[in-house]
Amino acid sequence: MGSPRRVYVGAFAHCKSLEELDICDAGAIGVGESGRIEFIERDVDDISSVLEKQGWKGVKVVKIKDHGFFFPGFIDTHIHAPQYPNAGIFGKTTLIDWLDKYTFPMEASFSSLARARQVYNRIVNRTLSHGTTTAAYYATVHVPATNLLADICHAKHQRAFIGRVCMDTMSPPNYRDTSPEDAVAATRATIQHITSLDPSHSLLIPIITPRFAPSCTPACLSALGRLHKETNLPIQTHIAENHAELDLVRRTFPSHPSYTAVYDDHGLLGPRTVLAHAVHLSPAEVALIRARGAKVSHCPASNTALTSGAAKVRELLLEDITIGLGTDVSGGYSPSVLVAARHAVMVSRHVAMGSGEGEGDAAKLTEAEVLWLATRGGARALGLEERVGGFEVGMEWDAQMVVLGEGVGVDGEGGEAEGPVDVFGWESWEERIAKWLYNGDDRNTAAVWVKGELVHKTQAFSG
Ligand code: GUN
Ligand code: ZN
């Protein structure tokens, strides 16, 4: 069994549905030794009577300060761990020249385990400190470094999907698979390593990772499709990010009707597939993704930085396609899902502006909606909706404690400032959460838990 039983007392918020942000300003959530939520009480004014009623007397209570609240841990459905040293470095490049100039050389350097150890320790620490309790990582082609990323996530207790990147064409000669068999054998080696660390894949899950269609031969795509069929492991890849990439796909797969059809025809499009970007899809492709039950990772910061385009998230949601958020480090400059959520709002406003005055209002995403994408949507995209992404009895306690300071007033009043969000006490909970979304950073994340275990804390946490 894991951590001892604990009761988390104070305000909490989570997304009930895409539209509904459920906020409770005086709650108590009991988490058992298994790391699962065993009870949720609302309108609590006397915690000792709750403990008595539940038969949990004497159990440790973790209390949140005024204006703070518990929130589900964030789920990053798309992040490249080895690209972290390049975060913020993209110049004026667009996807294909960015890959050649910055990305492939950086990833190639992960033939060095020393390099991998340095970068992977930092990115896992950094994502945890920003409240990311689940991350779907792309690693590199190197099995030892990919396995090391799994070791580090395991040691730090982050829930993680670990993908050994497969690419056997149109990639630098020193950084590619030598054959489809090589790609499959290397993927199997990582699957085996992860399974030896976590036999039931309770926190660590291998994910089959063809980088994207242009960097895989048809034989490689088919071999990975067969591996998926054999193992039913999830798949992650990129799709329809940028126009030059679409041209490349048309030239390299001339007999396929679309980019999406390329994945479909190779057995790579199904309910366990997470497609990053999905910016430039035809209606037929959206219909195919929907028919196959494949999921989308929306990466708005990356799509803006690399000037790829603005994904039409509302249209995809209306088609009933499940969407999560991705930081896409280092196409995206920040490892923070909060920043990705902020960009999702802003990109949706650009879509709205592009639709003509007034007409585009429907495209605008609300705060509740982007927070849903950052938690429940991501969980659903990764097949974890029964386990994480919200606070329900039976779900695992993947959570963050968000603290909001009253600021250090000019009159010397008010508490200690906690992070960059000033609240004044009279805002509604919705307004406070909006302030956190737009102004907050990791200083507002006082503590983080994964499956009931404390994995990160700052000085603001005294529990
Ligand atoms: N397409 C293929 N590889 C990549 C990558 O590393 N990042 C992004 N954003 N798109 C890609
Ligand atoms: Zn990516």
Side-chain angles (χ1 to χ4, degrees):
M1 281 292 166
S3 302
R5 292 189 295 177
R6 295 234 188 296
V7 183
Y8 297 87
V9 176
F12 69 81
H14 68 143
C15 300
K16 274 280 186 203
S17 66
L18 190 57
E19 295 82 25
E20 190 194 347
L21 186 59
D22 175 32
I23 302 169
C24 166
D25 65 359
I29 301 182
V31 177
E33 284 177 13
S34 64
R36 288 199 175 75
I37 298 175
E38 294 195 5
F39 68 81
I40 300 177
E41 296 274 353
R42 306 177 79 101
D43 304 319
V44 172
D45 51 24
D46 174 19
I47 183 62
S48 50
S49 61
V50 169
L51 298 183
E52 191 157 343
K53 174 178 152 201
Q54 297 290 343
W56 281 44
K57 268 171 81 177
V59 166
K60 189 162 166 53
V61 169
V62 179
K63 262 194 158 164
I64 198 143
K65 292 194 219 167
D66 285 351
H67 314 308
F69 55 96
F70 295 102
F71 195 76
F74 287 136
I75 297 178
D76 188 343
T77 57
H78 187 85
I79 175 166
H80 297 263
Q83 295 177 20
Y84 181 43
N86 280 343
I89 304 173
F90 47 90
K92 278 194 173 179
T93 52
T94 53
L95 178 63
I96 305 296
D97 49 329
W98 170 81
L99 284 171
D100 288 337
K101 184 171 176 187
Y102 298 109
T103 307
F104 291 149
M106 174 60 71
E107 291 190 13
S109 73
F110 282 64
S111 55
S112 156
L113 266 184
R115 156 77 108 192
R117 184 166 289 109
Q118 180 206 37
V119 173
Y120 288 163
N121 267 308
R122 290 204 205 174
I123 186 64
V124 175
N125 285 342
R126 185 66 73 184
T127 51
L128 283 173
S129 72
H130 281 88
T132 300
T133 48
T134 301
Y137 287 116
Y138 284 59
T140 62
V141 302
H142 313 98
V143 172
T146 303
N147 291 354
L148 180 65
L149 176 60
D151 294 343
I152 290 170
C153 291
H154 186 60
K156 295 182 189 293
H157 209 69
Q158 186 175 48
R159 197 182 292 274
F161 291 74
I162 308 282
R164 182 269 179 198
V165 170
C166 297
M167 42 199 269
D168 69 337
T169 187
M170 283 197 229
S171 320
N174 66 332
Y175 183 55
R176 61 159 71 183
D177 290 307
T178 51
S179 66
E181 294 74 31
D182 180 23
V184 171
T187 302
R188 283 190 193 279
T190 291
I191 295 171
Q192 197 175 19
H193 180 74
I194 292 170
T195 308
S196 72
L197 290 173
D198 184 352
S200 57
H201 296 164
S202 72
L203 288 185
L204 278 189
I205 301 158
I207 184 162
I208 297 167
T209 306
R211 178 171 214 121
F212 67 158
S215 66
C216 295
T217 58
C220 184
L221 293 174
S222 295
L224 294 172
R226 285 194 299 274
L227 183 64
H228 165 69
K229 196 163 181 204
E230 173 195 324
T231 59
N232 196 31
L233 286 171
I235 299 166
Q236 58 182 355
T237 191
H238 298 85
I239 200 165
E241 179 176 359
N242 139 307
H243 287 296
E245 173 206 14
L246 297 193
D247 287 343
L248 197 54
V249 172
R250 272 193 283 269
R251 274 184 275 129
T252 44
F253 295 91
S255 60
H256 289 77
S258 71
Y259 198 159
T260 307
V262 172
Y263 291 132
D264 193 41
D265 291 348
H266 292 91
L268 291 165
L269 195 72
R272 301 217 73 192
T273 307
V274 182
L275 301 162
H277 304 299
V279 176
H280 306 286
L281 293 173
S282 67
E285 289 181 282
V286 172
L288 182 55
I289 290 171
R290 181 193 167 144
R292 296 290 181 265
K295 316 297 195 282
V296 165
S297 172
H298 175 44
C299 304
S302 168
N303 296 155
T304 305
L306 297 180
T307 50
S308 301
K312 301 200 176 41
V313 173
R314 176 72 65 212
E315 287 182 20
L316 295 175
L317 288 171
L318 287 172
E319 291 296 327
D320 224 14
I321 290 173
T322 296
I323 307 179
L325 281 184
T327 60
D328 193 24
V329 166
S330 67
Y333 59 84
S334 168
S336 161
V337 174
L338 197 64
V339 169
R342 195 178 295 161
H343 277 274
V345 172
M346 296 308 161
V347 165
S348 76
R349 311 259 147 164
H350 280 280
V351 174
M353 288 187 276
S355 311
E357 211 175 322
E359 288 165 28
D361 276 359
K364 293 180 192 172
L365 296 174
T366 65
E367 287 80 26
E369 286 173 326
V370 296
L371 290 171
W372 186 91
L373 298 180
T375 55
R376 297 258 193 192
R380 196 184 281 176
L382 294 169
L384 297 174
E385 66 271 36
E386 305 286 321
R387 293 169 60 188
V388 297
F391 297 148
E392 315 284 349
V393 171
M395 282 183 133
E396 296 169 27
W397 181 246
D398 281 25
Q400 51 185 315
M401 177 193 269
V402 179
V403 290
L404 303 175
E406 279 189 52
V408 183
V410 281
D411 49 3
E413 286 180 5
E416 213 178 298
E418 258 144 9
V421 183
D422 280 331
V423 297
F424 296 86
W426 35 256
E427 302 93 336
S428 67
W429 277 106
E430 285 80 1
E431 288 167 335
R432 289 177 205 177
I433 289 170
K435 286 185 165 199
W436 171 55
L437 170 59
Y438 295 116
N439 295 307
D441 65 24
D442 53 338
R443 288 167 285 177
N444 297 106
T445 301
V448 181
W449 295 264
V450 172
K451 209 176 177 190
E453 203 166 296
L454 185 66
V455 293
H456 171 76
K457 66 177 172 147
T458 69
Q459 286 174 343
F461 177 68
S462 54

